[in-house]
Amino acid sequence: TEIAVPSYPMQPEGAPGPAWKLGQIWVMEAGGSDEPGILWAGTLPGGLFRSIDRGEHWQLVESLWHDPSRPEWGGGGYDTPGIHSICVDPRDSRHVTLAISTGGVWRTRNCCSSTTSWEPVTDAPDIESIAISDLEMDPNNPNTIYAGTGDLRFSSWSFGSAGVLKSTDGGNSWRVLGRNVFLPNYPAAQTTFSQYQSVGKVVVDPNNSNRVVAGTKTGLYFSYDAGENWTGPCLTNPYGPASANPHRQDITGLLAVNQGGVTQLYAAV
């Protein structure tokens, strides 16, 4: 069954930022178990939409859209910013954390009403990049959140990786992991333009939270101690960036699925 498409309201004359027009639905997520029928959609140019009737109608979350900092969000590999990751706390659906392509990680603890407020949580000076490509909430402990940095798209406007961000207190504070593993520059240029590394996908093993997998532009990396150390890259073919005939190895999809107590890992390259 085809459902409605989110649409932006009429743009006031002289409003800052990009045009108020749907460019792309980047991600869709279901609400928590305490909110049946709720759907979320993250879009380009940076609008967050919410449906309370399984997608029949959509409402722009104006509390985020009208944040004074929104016109400063950039697009990275795209011309406009995008919301590409939405995590709803399974313990309380009023707690929502999301990532914006070059706007960092944002969260609310009082969604969703006219009084909903949002705050950026990755503006600390020791975080070199707030170009976030993915968010992953530990399925065994929602207080633990991982964020992959860097733009997954190849573009001369892309931002390079600064490692994997990790919070163990629901986003109050963050550490940068793998800073010396996930370096900003792509190791083998595919064109005459500079290219950059990205941690585009992160997943946590649902059967063992110490096992974390990062999908990058150069293949898969594995951690067996909750992100403290990493091994890789793991490739599906012999054409990695260090080979005589390098090909792109972008991990564009990554799932860790519990199959009767055994974790199956699926990667799209």
Side-chain angles (χ1 to χ4, degrees):
T1 300
E2 186 174 356
I3 63 175
V5 175
S7 62
Y8 284 81
M10 184 72 68
Q11 184 171 4
E13 185 176 351
W20 294 20
K21 182 180 179 180
L22 180 66
Q24 176 179 321
I25 299 175
W26 204 340
V27 66
M28 294 186 69
E29 292 290 345
S33 59
D34 57 334
E35 289 187 330
I38 298 293
L39 292 176
W40 294 90
T43 72
L44 272 70
L48 176 67
F49 287 82
R50 184 173 183 260
S51 172
I52 62 173
D53 55 10
R54 296 177 171 83
E56 292 296 323
H57 304 86
W58 294 92
Q59 182 68 43
L60 177 67
V61 179
E62 296 192 3
S63 53
L64 182 63
W65 182 249
H66 293 299
D67 187 277
S69 68
R70 181 184 61 81
E72 301 173 4
W73 302 345
Y78 286 111
D79 292 332
T80 59
I83 294 175
H84 54 71
S85 302
I86 304 168
C87 292
V88 180
D89 191 325
R91 301 164 300 184
D92 189 340
S93 292
R94 295 173 300 173
H95 297 182
V96 180
T97 306
L98 56 82
I100 301 165
S101 53
T102 57
V105 179
W106 289 66
R107 73 175 182 186
T108 181
R109 292 293 179 260
N110 58 348
C111 194
C112 274
S113 69
S114 60
T115 61
T116 296
S117 58
W118 296 83
E119 61 174 338
V121 294
T122 51
D123 285 351
D126 60 332
I127 297 176
E128 293 93 337
S129 174
I130 57 170
I132 309 297
S133 283
D134 194 30
L135 279 182
E136 169 78 353
M137 186 174 285
D138 186 338
N140 303 303
N141 179 8
N143 284 328
T144 298
I145 306 171
Y146 293 88
T149 64
D151 282 315
L152 186 59
R153 296 156 303 285
F154 272 77
S155 165
S156 57
W157 294 102
S158 295
F159 292 86
S161 173
V164 175
L165 310 185
K166 180 181 180 180
S167 174
T168 57
D169 53 15
N172 291 329
S173 61
W174 298 81
R175 293 176 57 218
V176 182
L177 307 177
R179 184 183 267 118
N180 296 324
V181 177
F182 308 110
L183 301 175
N185 291 329
Y186 188 74
Q190 301 294 301
T191 71
T192 57
F193 298 100
S194 297
Q195 299 293 340
Y196 302 95
Q197 177 64 291
S198 168
V199 182
K201 299 294 177 183
V202 183
V203 296
V204 178
D205 186 338
N207 289 301
N208 185 341
S209 293
N210 284 323
R211 297 175 180 171
V212 183
V213 186
T216 74
K217 289 181 179 178
T218 55
L220 294 169
Y221 288 77
F222 295 84
S223 174
Y224 301 97
D225 53 10
E228 297 297 328
N229 297 281
W230 297 88
T231 60
C234 175
L235 303 174
T236 62
N237 56 72
Y239 304 110
S243 70
N245 184 18
H247 286 56
R248 288 170 55 172
Q249 304 288 327
D250 306 29
I251 304 299
T252 58
L254 193 59
L255 289 174
V257 181
N258 180 15
Q259 301 280 7
V262 177
T263 300
Q264 297 288 337
L265 184 68
Y266 299 88
V269 183

